[in-house]
């Protein structure tokens, strides 16, 4: 499952990136102000989970599927 991600900051930063997940009925844009502030020192990724925002849509919508999508994004 392809997840839409918005990246903030420099990918070459030495620190471990931060991944922000939105809440119910949300999307990656909800976290824009926070991500911008954090990106001064870290690389930040805001994700749209499956069936949200600009990410792919699927008939399957459960926590194990969403967790697998995030795991695949991290890899």
């Amino acid at each position: 499952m392809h997840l839409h991600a918005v990246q903030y900051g420099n990918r070459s930063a030495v620190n471990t990136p931060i991944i922000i997940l939105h809440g119910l009925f949300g999307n990656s844009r909800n976290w824009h102000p926070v991500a911008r502030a954090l990106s001064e020192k870290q690389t930040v990724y805001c994700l749209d989970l499956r069936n949200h925002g600009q990410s792919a849509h699927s008939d399957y919508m459960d926590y194990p599927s969403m967790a697998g999508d995030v795991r695949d994004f991290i890899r």
Side-chain angles (χ1 to χ4, degrees):
M1 174 70 56
H2 174 75
L3 298 182
H4 172 76
V6 179
Q7 177 189 321
Y8 299 83
N10 183 352
R11 272 179 44 184
S12 65
V14 175
N15 298 327
T16 302
I18 296 171
I19 297 175
I20 298 177
L21 306 176
H22 60 77
L24 184 64
F25 303 119
N27 62 48
S28 59
R29 291 175 292 163
N30 298 132
W31 288 93
H32 175 77
V34 173
R36 281 187 49 123
L38 292 172
S39 71
E40 293 178 12
K41 296 186 179 184
Q42 300 275 145
T43 301
V44 179
Y45 296 95
C46 292
L47 304 183
D48 283 339
L49 297 174
R50 67 171 52 210
N51 298 342
H52 291 82
Q54 296 180 49
S55 283
H57 288 250
S58 170
D59 292 336
Y60 298 102
M61 182 68 175
D62 57 18
Y63 288 115
S65 298
M66 291 188 292
D69 296 342
V70 174
R71 179 201 60 221
D72 293 345
F73 176 83
I74 292 170
R75 286 183 180 157

